[in-house]
Amino acid sequence: MYNLQWLKIDANLFANRKIQILLKEPDGDTYIRVWIQLLSISLECNKDGKLLIGENKPMSIEYFSKIMGKSYEKMKKIIGKFLELEMIILENEVYKIKNWNEYQSIQTYEKYKEQGTRKIKTTKISWKKEKWKGKKWHYSNVT
């Protein structure tokens, strides 16, 4: 798994049609706050967009309501709207942010991480070569 420390949010977030629909709901600002909070929870879970409590226990609407300080009914309505707009999906009884890896550019992150690892290895090798450059080796037969 990756270990992201940041959450990628598009600069045009409020131009997104789904976000505009959510904002037109009664308490639309709450929908947006819950959405951002779900993205943050997903980032913390580090399981490809899955919303979990602990290692493998799926989050429920009850958990969402407790974590976010909203009534069960309100949270059920909000999660229902996210499902309707296909912002989240229910996969094997686990809520998951749809297209998480695509939106968070996980492939790009992995590519840069790999390049960084290669650069560190190359730097260490050249540092070792410099360290031993010009040193004379003495061999002796010890019997």
Side-chain angles (χ1 to χ4, degrees), residues 20-73:
Q20 290 174 346
I21 290 168
L22 293 174
L23 285 169
K24 287 183 175 51
E25 290 288 320
D27 295 325
D29 292 350
T30 301
Y31 282 72
I32 303 308
R33 185 183 65 80
V34 169
W35 176 244
I36 303 279
Q37 211 162 350
L38 289 176
L39 293 175
S40 180
I41 290 169
S42 183
L43 179 68
E44 187 181 321
C45 291
N46 196 15
K47 299 278 187 184
D48 296 320
K50 292 179 183 172
L51 297 162
L52 306 169
I53 190 125
E55 271 302 302
N56 292 309
K57 183 172 175 59
M59 287 195 123
S60 64
I61 292 175
E62 184 179 349
Y63 286 131
F64 293 140
S65 68
K66 287 179 180 179
I67 290 168
M68 298 183 203
K70 299 293 173 200
S71 71
Y72 178 87
E73 293 76 25

Side-chain angles (χ1 to χ4, degrees), residues 9-132:
I9 297 178
D10 191 335
N12 296 318
L13 174 69
F14 295 101
N16 180 295
R17 289 185 307 268
K18 292 177 182 180
I19 298 298
Q20 290 174 346
I21 290 168
L22 293 174
L23 285 169
K24 287 183 175 51
E25 290 288 320
D27 295 325
D29 292 350
T30 301
Y31 282 72
I32 303 308
R33 185 183 65 80
V34 169
W35 176 244
I36 303 279
Q37 211 162 350
L38 289 176
L39 293 175
S40 180
I41 290 169
S42 183
L43 179 68
E44 187 181 321
C45 291
N46 196 15
K47 299 278 187 184
D48 296 320
K50 292 179 183 172
L51 297 162
L52 306 169
I53 190 125
E55 271 302 302
N56 292 309
K57 183 172 175 59
M59 287 195 123
S60 64
I61 292 175
E62 184 179 349
Y63 286 131
F64 293 140
S65 68
K66 287 179 180 179
I67 290 168
M68 298 183 203
K70 299 293 173 200
S71 71
Y72 178 87
E73 293 76 25
K74 181 75 170 177
M75 193 54 62
K76 186 175 179 181
K77 183 178 177 184
I78 292 171
I79 295 297
K81 192 66 172 178
F82 292 157
L83 286 166
E84 177 190 324
L85 293 173
E86 297 181 353
M87 297 168 75
I88 61 175
I89 56 176
L90 193 54
E91 188 176 272
N92 299 324
E93 298 186 33
V94 177
Y95 289 104
K96 184 176 178 181
I97 306 293
K98 188 174 178 186
N99 299 324
W100 172 259
N101 289 344
E102 176 186 330
Y103 290 120
Q104 294 306 311
S105 304
I106 300 304
Q107 290 78 13
T108 304
Y109 171 76
E110 290 295 330
K111 183 179 89 174
Y112 285 121
K113 186 177 169 186
E114 185 180 314
Q115 287 174 349
T117 303
R118 271 187 283 173
K119 185 170 178 97
I120 289 169
K121 285 180 183 175
T122 305
T123 303
K124 283 182 178 179
I125 290 169
S126 62
W127 179 79
K128 285 179 181 178
K129 284 180 183 177
E130 278 297 312
K131 180 180 175 185
W132 294 104

